[in-house]
Amino acid sequence: MATPRFAWGIDIGNRALKAIKLVRDGDSLRVDDFDVIEHETVLSNSGDNREGYITSALQQFVSRHPMKGGAASIGVSGQASFARFIKLPPVEEKKIPEIVRFEAIQQIPFPLDDVEWSYQLFRGDDTPDVEVGIFAMRKELINQHIKYFTDLDLNVQVVQMSPLAVYNAMSYDQRVEGTTMIIDLGAENTDLIIADADTIWLRSIPVGGNNFTEALTKAFKINFAKAEDLKRNAATSKYARQIFQAMRPVFADLVAEVQRSIGFYASVHRDSRIKRIVAVGGTFKLPGLQKYLQQNLQLEVERLDTLGAGAPPDPKQGAAFQDNILSMVSAYGLALQAMGEGKVTSSLLPSHIRRERLWQEKTKYFGAAAALFVIGTGIGFGSVFLGNMSLEGAADARGKLTTIAGQATDLDNRWTAVQGAGAADRQRIINVRSLAQWRDLYTHILTDINGAVPQLNLPPDQVKKIPRHERRQVIIERVVSRYLPDMGLVGDLSLPTYSTVPPASGTGGTSTIGGFGPAGFGAGAVGAVGATPPEFAGALPPTPEALPEGAVAAAPSPHAGLRGYVVTLFGRTPMQTAAAFLQETLAGNLRKLSRDKVGADRKYYIGEVRIVHLRPLREDAARVSEILTAYNAAAQAKTSGTFTAAAAAGGFGGGLGPEAVGPMPGGFGGGGYVPQPPPG
């Protein structure tokens, strides 16, 4: 589309309509006008009156500002839309759209016919890797939102997600230096944007300005409107201390969610470290919020105070513009994209509206071309030939045109039919394929564990020559696994949470997920955290309790937001120095496995390996009795000819130490199971 003479970026927020007008000034852009129109009440509490409040605000806006010759760029909530970022395999440039469409079908949780979607490619100057951002929104939601504007004849040319509009604004103003986190703290939710020179990452969290207001309504037993006024004037109120004390739990929730997001980003982008935070959004007017984030996140937090395109030229508007600048960033980014200056150029504008805009732009060129054709053939108005031309004389030409137009219409209808054919079958194929996704994941985990177990690989007679306490062997007796939708839930859980083995005296472990002990000297377990390709799980754990005044929030788990397995291994080793041996061999092999293979053809990675619990086997009379009972039962069943799979499944590995019951035949350890498969 052609670049308009001016553009309005319009952001309809929960509390107010915010709009900025940009015009071209030489080679740059400048802010020419702006407006903020507050709703009678916040939209989240307006019930059935929501549409009426939005329409009323837009009518006021249109009555104040002429729109002829300009374009409108409108924003949609990041929480109501969908965003996913994927690295593409190396393919030819012409095949990228096809690959992206395939990925969109896999990633978007709705049929493509039910959504408006677009994509944006992100390329680095010094790397051949290409990352694609896929953005989508349900058609009924986006059509309902656009209807507010089209009913008032606004020329909508761009529909963009609010977090991407904020990114466009910060990128244009060159505020993205290194890896930068942008926190847009709105009324209903907070958009987190982590950006560097080549890529971006988005997350929307359900903590916003309304949460602070609701905390005040509960603390002081007042209605929402009075609590909102109390919050806005907290800095000058004589009850400032009580006000901030009431809001402290929300401060803590916000910090916890931001820390969780930073931890997840760091686990996925291991070579990237966030250097600074840029704070935008009207809620950052709260005094003390910027300092609180800075102290608890241990990062520099810079609050936005200017826009790169300046301020309106009217001095009367200067003070009001500066007072609202924190909440104008999304509207600013929307206007930048409409003027052709956005780094992200994707748009969720429905295709039928986009086609109408293109035809409207081309119509004037068709008219000019027709006029030039008439003049070029010597047929001018007033010419004597014009009087001699008749409708009958042009009948043949009209007939040819009609035939060609009919053929074009027929081809268009046939193409539409072909394009829509098989949609149900394609969706059915996708659904069937999804049933097999991740079904083989656990076999990969077991294969890797088996490959990490140290073996002597010597003939039996040579093994016997090695003193028992020096034999570098590990015997796996049991594998217990548990699937978790959010690995951040593991926290500091101790071994008994995942098994029935009680703590014992002797050599004890202090970590949380696994451990091993020597045969004849101890028994225990070792564990590994295996995570599927990193995505946010749908259900996250509850937000933590409020921090005491002056306390610093604990660092989030690096596995927060990941789904995966906690796998606990139980077994024995004859090595006397069990702890050092296990750290060097089994745990070391698992860690090396994750480092060497991650990013290749792996479907998961090992996030953490810990030795949990060690104890001498000779001190565990109950365990010796359990093994003897199982052994005798198996021997009796085998002797009587009634040996069953149930008896074999108990099994045990290797020979026991002489301090226990003497050497016994080896067997197989009980197999682990997966109580809940990972979601496709």
Side-chain angles (χ1 to χ4, degrees):
M1 294 185 182
T3 303
R5 291 189 297 109
F6 65 88
W8 279 95
I10 305 174
D11 174 27
I12 298 180
N14 193 47
R15 290 200 186 96
L17 178 151
K18 289 91 65 178
I20 280 186
K21 178 184 178 182
L22 291 181
V23 297
R24 185 73 60 180
D25 188 4
D27 294 334
S28 60
L29 299 174
R30 64 176 174 83
V31 175
D32 188 64
D33 198 1
F34 89 104
D35 205 349
V36 176
I37 303 173
E38 291 199 1
H39 307 303
E40 293 182 29
T41 184
V42 291
L43 296 182
S44 56
N45 293 341
S46 60
D48 295 337
N49 296 322
R50 177 186 176 90
E51 293 185 11
Y53 290 143
I54 294 175
T55 302
S56 174
L58 278 172
Q59 287 173 344
Q60 290 183 55
F61 171 75
V62 171
S63 65
R64 296 178 187 178
H65 308 283
M67 294 292 296
K68 186 176 181 181
S73 177
I74 64 176
V76 292
S77 168
Q79 208 164 29
S81 47
F82 171 90
R84 185 73 81 239
F85 297 89
I86 303 162
K87 282 190 177 180
L88 296 182
V91 294
E92 297 178 27
E93 190 74 19
K94 63 181 180 181
K95 292 186 177 180
I96 287 180
E98 179 183 348
I99 297 293
V100 172
R101 182 176 178 82
F102 175 79
E103 289 290 350
I105 293 173
Q106 301 297 317
Q107 298 292 334
I108 298 174
F110 303 102
L112 289 192
D113 292 340
D114 294 344
V115 299
E116 294 292 345
W117 72 283
S118 64
Y119 69 92
Q120 178 80 29
L121 298 179
F122 298 92
R123 307 171 188 262
D125 296 332
D126 55 351
T127 175
D129 294 339
V130 178
E131 187 171 14
V132 61
I134 299 174
F135 315 113
M137 190 172 180
R138 295 290 297 270
K139 281 185 176 179
E140 62 264 29
L141 296 178
I142 203 164
N143 288 334
Q144 179 185 11
H145 191 70
I146 292 177
K147 190 174 184 298
Y148 297 130
F149 298 85
T150 54
D151 285 351
L152 297 173
D153 294 328
L154 291 175
N155 179 20
V156 178
Q157 290 193 1
V158 174
V159 178
Q160 186 57 276
M161 294 168 54
S162 292
L164 292 179
V166 171
Y167 170 73
N168 275 341
M170 296 296 95
S171 178
Y172 180 82
D173 285 3
Q174 298 181 352
R175 291 185 178 271
V176 178
E177 301 172 4
T179 302
T180 303
M181 170 179 268
I182 305 162
I183 301 180
D184 182 11
L185 187 52
E188 290 185 284
N189 56 74
T190 298
D191 292 323
L192 304 178
I193 307 111
I194 301 179
D196 57 25
D198 306 319
T199 61
I200 60 174
W201 177 89
L202 308 176
R203 186 193 175 200
S204 185
I205 59 178
V207 179
N210 286 355
N211 296 86
F212 292 95
T213 308
E214 288 165 0
L216 295 179
T217 63
K218 294 176 182 177
F220 298 106
K221 304 296 187 293
I222 55 178
N223 61 36
F224 191 92
K226 289 183 179 179
E228 180 70 19
D229 185 63
L230 194 64
K231 182 185 73 175
R232 294 188 179 190
N233 299 291
T236 57
S237 173
K238 62 180 180 179
Y239 302 109
R241 189 174 182 279
Q242 291 89 336
I243 293 172
F244 286 108
Q245 192 65 32
M247 294 190 294
R248 181 170 290 276
V250 186
F251 278 65
D253 289 348
L254 177 62
V255 167
E257 290 291 346
V258 174
Q259 286 178 325
R260 187 195 305 276
S261 301
I262 291 175
F264 173 77
Y265 180 84
S267 68
V268 177
H269 303 79
R270 296 175 184 263
D271 298 331
S272 182
R273 289 294 177 268
I274 297 171
K275 297 180 179 179
R276 58 196 285 270
I277 294 175
V278 178
V280 301
T283 307
F284 269 105
K285 291 181 182 179
L286 272 174
L289 178 56
Q290 177 185 358
K291 183 179 179 181
Y292 184 86
L293 284 176
Q294 191 160 291
Q295 288 177 343
N296 286 273
L297 299 177
Q298 298 297 305
L299 288 169
E300 175 192 351
V301 179
E302 172 193 338
R303 196 171 76 169
L304 187 74
D305 55 2
T306 59
L307 295 181
D314 187 352
K316 297 179 181 179
Q317 292 184 309
F321 181 77
Q322 190 63 35
D323 186 53
N324 289 281
I325 197 167
L326 283 170
S327 59
M328 303 296 293
V329 180
S330 179
Y332 176 51
L334 292 168
L336 284 170
Q337 185 173 348
M339 294 296 287
E341 298 292 344
K343 190 169 184 178
V344 175
T345 58
S346 63
S347 173
L348 295 177
L349 184 70
S351 54
H352 68 277
I353 297 179
R354 192 159 50 243
R355 286 195 296 268
E356 289 176 7
R357 297 284 183 267
L358 287 172
W359 277 109
Q360 288 174 1
E361 290 180 3
K362 291 178 179 179
T363 301
K364 55 186 178 184
Y365 298 113
F366 291 157
L372 290 172
F373 173 77
V374 171
I375 295 172
T377 53
I379 305 174
F381 292 104
S383 169
V384 293
F385 296 104
L386 186 61
N388 294 330
M389 288 185 67
S390 63
L391 188 64
E392 290 75 17
D396 291 341
R398 288 202 318 277
K400 291 179 181 179
L401 290 174
T402 302
T403 301
I404 293 172
Q407 291 174 349
T409 302
D410 179 60
L411 289 172
D412 183 66
N413 292 337
R414 287 163 63 185
W415 170 246
T416 301
V418 170
Q419 209 174 19
D425 292 336
R426 288 197 302 274
Q427 187 59 45
R428 193 175 297 112
I429 291 170
I430 292 168
N431 292 340
V432 171
R433 284 180 175 176
S434 69
L435 295 175
Q437 284 186 317
W438 311 114
R439 290 299 176 92
D440 61 341
L441 178 64
Y442 198 72
T443 61
H444 288 273
I445 296 175
L446 292 178
T447 299
D448 287 344
I449 291 173
N450 184 64
V453 174
Q455 303 288 343
L456 280 178
N457 295 324
L458 294 174
D461 57 334
Q462 293 187 30
V463 173
K464 293 178 181 178
K465 295 178 182 179
I466 303 173
R468 179 178 295 276
H469 66 276
E470 294 179 6
R471 294 177 188 173
R472 299 176 64 83
Q473 288 179 304
V474 172
I475 300 96
I476 302 294
E477 291 185 320
R478 186 154 54 108
V479 179
V480 176
S481 64
R482 179 181 176 187
Y483 172 76
L484 291 178
D486 183 1
M487 295 304 292
L489 292 171
V490 173
D492 289 324
L493 296 180
S494 60
L495 179 64
T497 304
Y498 295 104
S499 73
T500 58
V501 179
S505 60
T507 306
T510 57
S511 53
T512 61
I513 303 177
F516 246 96
F521 295 94
V526 69
V529 178
T532 62
E535 295 179 23
F536 278 103
L540 295 176
T543 53
E545 296 294 330
L547 295 174
E549 188 168 0
V552 178
S557 167
H559 312 300
L562 296 173
R563 54 187 179 182
Y565 293 92
V566 173
V567 181
T568 309
L569 309 182
F570 298 84
R572 296 174 286 114
T573 175
M575 283 294 290
Q576 189 165 9
T577 55
F581 170 60
L582 292 169
Q583 288 285 5
E584 173 193 351
T585 57
L586 184 55
N589 290 343
L590 287 169
R591 293 190 184 101
K592 184 175 184 297
L593 183 72
S594 181
R595 289 196 304 269
D596 291 350
K597 292 189 176 182
V598 68
D601 57 347
R602 298 182 58 74
K603 296 187 177 181
Y604 81 104
Y605 77 94
I606 299 172
E608 193 167 348
V609 183
R610 303 182 194 174
I611 304 300
V612 171
H613 186 62
L614 297 173
R615 65 179 177 184
L617 184 59
R618 63 175 179 269
E619 294 184 8
D620 191 349
R623 177 62 176 147
V624 172
S625 174
E626 177 187 343
I627 293 175
L628 280 174
T629 302
Y631 175 71
N632 292 332
Q636 182 180 358
K638 188 173 182 179
T639 303
S640 62
T642 58
F643 185 75
T644 64
F652 47 87
L656 296 175
E659 295 86 355
V661 293
M664 292 182 179
F668 291 102
Y673 72 99
V674 184
Q676 179 183 353

